[in-house]
Amino acid sequence: MIPYSTVIFDLDGTLLDTLQDLADSTNYALALHKLPARSLDEVRRFVGNGVGLLIHRAVPEGTPEELEARCLADFRAHYLLNMENRTAPYAGVLELLDGLNQAGIKLAVVSNKFDGAVKGLCQTYFGDRVKVAIGESQGVARKPAPDTVLRALKELGAQPEEAVYVGDSEVDIQTARNSGLPCLSVSWGFRDAEFLTEQGAQQIISTPAELLALLTGEQNDESSRPHQGDL
């Protein structure tokens, strides 16, 4: 018996390693306005809550709102043209998605990245492996609000009690909780296992192969399945 019929994935840091392209576009926008660059580790800490907060964290404290808004617009324009330069799926992710599809599990991606980029990246790297991809758009609350997760479930025709959420950050843990879903946290992305544990992760997966085995029932015992009540 497969433990779940539906898996909702985060994108950045979970399925795709997007960090270098995010950092490059951030520093491009900062340089345009003669603001100091940010390191890769700084950008790693800044991501997870959408590009608006990424830029807000990246600009110096006290930056005027108008200048910050111009940096954000320049980031968006640059990123849309350069988001595939150095981005790639994490090792084993395509095999993970193929295995889940072969098992008949419904898949969706929800992200705080803006919607056009989410749909474009999913099409480029995953093709028809992922049927539903939802990003930030006007009028839809970002994660950790449950809105994008609930919309993905609706588009998939899936029931929440049959779904699990998979992500790499504290935002994902909160999103799963707010959506009423159990959460599987992955440690190969933008946050390590120690940090995830501190943030309340109940089950941490270290490789896509391990995640595939769990989600397809190869480790299907009651102790291996996370429950929302434990979160």
Side-chain angles (χ1 to χ4, degrees):
M1 176 181 175
I2 295 172
Y4 301 102
S5 67
T6 304
V7 182
I8 309 295
F9 284 102
D10 171 55
L11 183 61
D12 297 58
T14 300
L15 298 178
L16 291 180
D17 184 356
T18 57
L19 185 60
Q20 189 64 64
D21 283 334
L22 287 168
D24 288 348
S25 290
T26 297
N27 284 326
Y28 170 84
L30 293 173
L32 275 183
H33 300 283
K34 297 181 172 53
L35 298 174
R38 292 294 192 166
S39 70
L40 196 64
D41 283 341
E42 285 176 319
V43 174
R44 184 193 305 274
R45 295 196 300 271
F46 296 160
V47 298
N49 294 93
V51 296
L53 272 177
L54 165 60
I55 296 303
H56 178 70
R57 292 162 175 164
V59 299
E61 186 174 354
T63 296
E65 289 184 10
E66 182 182 353
L67 178 54
E68 182 178 321
R70 292 203 302 271
C71 285
L72 176 58
D74 291 328
F75 168 91
R76 285 177 176 269
H78 185 271
Y79 188 71
L80 275 173
L81 295 176
N82 294 276
M83 63 186 183
E84 298 171 12
N85 290 351
R86 291 195 269 186
T87 286
Y90 288 101
V93 158
L94 295 183
E95 293 81 359
L96 165 65
L97 299 179
D98 286 338
L100 294 175
N101 276 296
Q102 290 165 13
I105 296 175
K106 299 175 182 178
L107 306 180
V109 165
V110 296
S111 173
N112 278 341
K113 188 190 296 293
F114 49 103
D115 191 64
V118 173
K119 287 177 167 56
L121 288 169
C122 284
Q123 182 58 43
T124 295
Y125 293 105
F126 309 139
D128 62 359
R129 292 178 175 91
V130 176
K131 300 299 189 289
V132 172
I134 299 172
E136 179 187 11
S137 60
Q138 190 170 8
V140 179
R142 295 193 306 269
K143 300 185 297 181
D147 299 45
T148 50
V149 173
L150 298 179
R151 180 176 162 189
L153 291 172
K154 183 177 180 179
E155 290 190 20
L156 289 171
Q159 299 302 313
E161 59 269 19
E162 299 173 355
V164 64
Y165 184 96
V166 178
D168 74 303
S169 74
E170 68 279 13
V171 175
D172 295 313
I173 294 169
Q174 296 161 9
T175 301
R177 183 180 295 118
N178 292 340
S179 304
L181 302 185
C183 184
L184 297 172
S185 298
V186 303
S187 60
W188 61 74
F190 296 168
R191 309 287 191 266
D192 60 26
E194 181 180 359
F195 178 88
L196 291 168
T197 299
E198 291 171 353
Q199 297 300 311
Q202 294 296 305
Q203 188 161 2
I204 300 175
I205 310 299
S206 59
T207 67
E210 180 187 349
L211 181 59
L212 178 61
L214 177 63
L215 291 174
T216 56
E218 293 181 22
Q219 299 176 12
N220 185 21
D221 58 69
E222 200 62 22
S223 63
S224 69
R225 176 172 179 160
H227 295 275
Q228 175 61 20
D230 296 334
L231 301 181

